[in-house]
Amino acid sequence: MEPSGNITVDAWIAEGNELAAQGRYEEAVVLFDQALALDPAHAAVWYGKGNALLSLERYEEALAVFDRATALSPDDASACYNTGYVLGKLERYVEALAATDRAIALAPRKISAWHHKGYLLEKLGRYDEALEAYNQEIALDSDSSPAWFGKGNVLDKLGRADEAILAYRHALAYDPDYGPAWYNKGCVLETEQRYEEALEAYDEAIRCDPDDPDAWTGRGYVLEALGRYEEALAAHAGAIRLDPDDATAWYGKGNALAELGRSEEALTAYTRVTEIEPDDVDAWYARGLVLHQLGRYKDAVAAYDRVLSLDPENTCARDNRETAQNKQQPYEVG
């Protein structure tokens, strides 16, 4: 005879959790449902099922399940935290923050809740409060690379570049293989025009993840700033191999080709940008410049017209359009 009552339910919870630990989430959900058929008021079963659904990225279902778990066990900080986490995945940030604050009220030393609070406040554009949350996380765990990474991101958004770089250094001191920290450090250094240091950071990001197209693109733009156009071209080509629809990489490729005097190829690259991002003003303007240089004045006028339709106050496009218009010949074919 099968064991009855909570013994059976507890056994199924243990088995469901084991299946989830093995990545067998669908099977885990089935077991948790069987347990709920025996005891629908068992909060731990709802919690286990919610975790399995969360791992399956079935967020709406997970949210309903975690809501049930917190209704049965309102003082369960983990269930409150997971409710907030799922709401964050659903981009319901204000509700997510309320659930996360509830988790912190129940468990003030819950590091993951402080980290998620920082993330949510950052998403809400409340950067000073986000910084406070990451500082709280660091106070609880000063060796946490994700906490220092989050702090760096917020400091960057607050325009505190030097402090952001220092925060990324802390993150990397604790985890030298933290690719996103290398990448974001590179972005800040690039913005600060510290190009050699930025290049080193992007190279480290690529070392951590050679398949990260953003790191290759960042490397390309820094090399352009350093006047190393052939290397920049190779970096942008690397990004495009990884992501053929990376408009930023195509634009960078166009810039490098234009600097190398390879105008026809640059035109192809800029045209690709406008196919991916039809409202990219910079790409249309660059396309107009290259067409202008190639003597294709009618096409250049059309490109400048597109710029002005997107940005009517663009005086450079307006002046260049007038010049190209004046250079057209009556017999020119567009």
Side-chain angles (χ1 to χ4, degrees):
M1 177 181 293
E2 286 189 349
S4 60
N6 285 337
I7 297 175
T8 300
V9 171
D10 290 343
W12 278 351
I13 291 172
E15 188 173 350
N17 287 336
E18 179 62 27
L19 287 169
Q22 296 172 16
R24 297 161 63 183
Y25 304 117
E26 294 282 4
E27 295 171 74
V29 170
V30 171
L31 276 183
F32 288 127
D33 280 338
Q34 290 174 336
L36 288 170
L38 286 178
D39 187 355
H42 200 308
V45 184
W46 288 103
Y47 180 75
K49 180 180 178 181
N51 285 337
L53 290 167
L54 176 57
S55 296
L56 290 167
E57 299 183 0
R58 290 159 59 179
Y59 298 129
E60 291 287 357
E61 294 172 80
L63 177 60
V65 170
F66 284 130
D67 281 345
R68 182 64 175 150
T70 54
L72 292 167
S73 182
D75 294 334
D76 186 335
S78 293
C80 290
Y81 167 76
N82 283 10
T83 299
Y85 186 83
V86 173
L87 285 164
K89 286 290 186 182
L90 293 169
E91 300 183 3
R92 293 163 59 179
Y93 299 124
V94 173
E95 296 167 85
L97 182 59
T100 304
D101 279 339
R102 172 65 176 160
I104 290 170
L106 293 167
R109 298 185 64 82
K110 190 173 180 64
I111 293 170
S112 58
W114 281 108
H115 187 80
H116 196 235
K117 180 173 182 174
Y119 165 80
L120 294 169
L121 287 164
E122 185 179 350
K123 285 291 187 181
L124 290 167
R126 294 160 59 178
Y127 300 129
D128 287 314
E129 294 171 83
L131 183 59
E132 291 178 14
Y134 287 128
N135 281 335
Q136 286 288 343
E137 182 184 3
I138 290 166
L140 294 169
D141 182 6
S142 61
D143 296 346
S144 171
S145 289
W148 285 105
F149 175 70
K151 181 175 181 175
N153 293 343
V154 171
L155 287 165
D156 179 35
K157 289 183 171 68
L158 288 168
R160 295 159 62 176
D162 288 340
E163 293 173 85
I165 292 167
L166 182 60
Y168 292 135
R169 284 178 183 162
H170 278 294
L172 293 164
Y174 299 120
D175 183 1
D177 296 327
Y178 198 163
W182 281 114
Y183 174 74
N184 284 16
K185 181 183 177 184
C187 291
V188 178
L189 288 164
E190 181 182 355
T191 301
E192 293 297 296
Q193 299 183 4
R194 293 162 60 176
Y195 298 125
E196 292 287 357
E197 294 172 85
L199 181 59
E200 291 176 9
Y202 287 135
D203 282 345
E204 286 293 326
I206 291 167
R207 176 187 63 78
C208 295
D209 183 4
D211 294 330
D212 181 357
D214 292 337
W216 283 102
T217 300
R219 186 177 199 274
Y221 277 99
V222 168
L223 287 165
E224 285 177 38
L226 291 169
R228 295 158 59 178
Y229 301 117
E230 290 285 0
E231 293 173 84
L233 184 59
H236 290 307
I240 291 165
R241 278 194 299 272
L242 293 166
D243 182 2
D245 293 329
D246 186 339
T248 305
W250 279 106
Y251 184 76
K253 181 178 180 178
N255 291 345
L257 288 164
E259 291 289 350
L260 290 167
R262 295 159 62 176
S263 299
E264 289 286 358
E265 293 171 86
L267 177 60
T268 299
Y270 292 136
T271 300
R272 180 67 182 126
V273 179
T274 62
E275 292 169 352
I276 299 168
E277 298 286 350
D279 294 337
D280 189 317
V281 173
D282 292 336
W284 280 107
Y285 181 70
R287 190 173 186 275
L289 289 178
V290 173
L291 287 163
H292 201 141
Q293 291 166 1
L294 290 169
R296 294 169 56 181
Y297 302 118
K298 185 174 182 179
D299 291 337
V301 168
Y304 294 135
D305 281 342
R306 179 61 173 156
V307 173
L308 292 167
S309 72
L310 296 167
D311 180 12
E313 304 303 317
N314 193 314
T315 55
C316 291
R318 190 174 304 281
D319 292 344
N320 285 344
R321 184 196 184 282
E322 183 178 352
T323 301
Q325 182 73 46
N326 291 337
K327 288 184 177 180
Q328 286 190 70
Q329 301 296 325
Y331 53 81
E332 182 180 2
V333 178

